[in-house]
Amino acid sequence: MKRLTLAGGILLLSIVSVYADDYARYYVNMPVEIPHAAPPVIPDNSVNIKDFGGKGDGMTLNTDAFQKAISALEKKGGGRVVVPAGIWMTGLISLKDNIDLHIEKNAVIMASADRNLFFKEKDGKKESKATPLINASKRKNISITGEGTIDGNGALWRPVKRSKVSDVEWKGFLYMGGTVSKDGQLWYPFNLKKHANTAATAETQEKQRTHLIRFTDCENVLVKDVTIQNSPKFHLIPTRCNNVIVDNVTIRCPWNAQNGDALDISSCRNVLIVNNVIDAGDDGICMKAGAGKAGLAYGPCENLLIENNTVYHAHGGFVIGSEFTGGMKNIIVRNNLFSGTDTGLRFKSGIGRGGKTENIFISDIVMTDIKDEAIIFECTYQDRAVGKKVSETLSSGKDVSFAPDFSDIHISNVTCRNARTAISAHGLPGLKCVNGITIDNSIFFCTEKDKDVDETVELVITNTEFHVQ
C-alpha cells in the first residue's frame, strides 16, 4: 500500500489490487491436464464512490456516481472503485477494462426499484429486454471483490407460483398489488401498487426479466468473497469468457425463486470455481454452451476445475445443460458437498439443445437429503416460459438435430445419504444419448429405488453399493 504524507495527515493514494492468490495449488493430481486460471491484474489506483457524489443512504440513486467513478479510473488506465458500508441504490453498472468493483463489508449495492432504469436505448427505442445490473462486454481484467453484497431486488421482477408459497407469503405478494392469472395459480409483479410497469401486459413484462451479473466475451475475470443475492433471474452468468475465477462467493435467493439459477458458466474456457456456498431457487453450478447452430459458433465449455463448493437448495448441485450444442470438454468436479438439493449430479438436455461431452471427471462428492435423484440423465428436457404447458416431447421424429450425447463421463467416490433414487438415466429411442458413463467406488442410501435406467443407456457401475431403506 502506498502512502503520501500531507500537512500532518496520511492520504491513502491507492491500493494494490493485484490478487496474488496461489491458485496453482488447486491444479494438482488432475485426471486430465488443463490450463490454470489466473486472477486479473488491476492497476494501482483507487477511488471512493463517495468522492463522486455517491450516498449509501438507501434512498439516493447512485447510477451517475458509479459511472463517474469508473470513467475517472478508466482515464488512468483502471483501478479499484471502493464502495463503503451503506445501501447503495443504483441502476446499471457497466464495468470497463482494468476495473475492480470492491464492495466493503456491510456495503450493499441494490438494484433500484425503478425497473425502467434497466432498459438501454438503441436507435432511440427502449430495448425489449432488461440489462443485468452489473454487466461488461468485451472487457479485459475486471473483478468484483470484497465482503459486501449485491442485491437484485428480484421480488419486483419474478413471477410466483401459488403452489410454492404459504398462505402468509401469498397474501404478502397480493398486498404488493400485482396480477393473478385466471386460474389463480400464478402471481405476476404487474400493476404493482408502488412501481410502474415496463410493458403493456404481464406476459410481455415477464419476458423482459434478465440476470443480475453478466460478463460477455470478457477475458481475465475474478469474482471473489462477495455475496450475490435475490436476482430477477440467474445470478452470475459469465458467457463466452476466457480465464475466469469465482472464489469464496455466496450466492443465495429464496428456494422458490423462479429461474433462480446461481452460477451459470456458458461457453467459457479456463475456469476455476472454488470455495463457494450456494442456496438457490434453480440450478446451483450449471454448465451451458448455447442451443442449435448458435451454440456451435459459441464453442464449448472447456477446461474447468470445480472444487470445494457447497450447494444447499438447488434443482441440481452440478448441472450440464439444458443447452450445450457447443459441447463440454475437460471438466473436473471434485470435493463438493450437495445438501438438500433436488438432484445431485444433473445432466439434462433435449433435441435441438444437446451437444457432446468429453473428459468429464467427477469425484469425491458428498450428498445428503437429496429430494429426488442423486445422479440423473434426462434427454427430453424442455425449456418453457413460466405459465406455459409442456408440449409434446420430440423423441424419434424426423428432425433429431443437436440431440444430446452424454458420453465420456466418469463418476467416482460418491457418498450419498437419503436420495429417493440413486441413479436415473433415460435416453431417446434409436439414438445413443447416454453412453460411456462409468460410476465407481460409490455408496448410495436411497428411500425408494436404486436404479431407474432404460435399455438405451450404456452405463458401467463398479465397486458400488446401493442400500434401499
Side-chain angles (χ1 to χ4, degrees), residues 149-168:
T149 298
I150 300 166
D151 192 306
N153 220 345
L156 299 180
W157 292 87
R158 296 188 301 260
V160 176
K161 293 180 179 179
R162 178 65 184 91
S163 60
K164 287 190 172 184
V165 296
S166 67
D167 291 346
V168 172

Side-chain angles (χ1 to χ4, degrees), residues 21 43 77 193 216 300:
D21 297 72
K193 293 178 180 178
T216 305

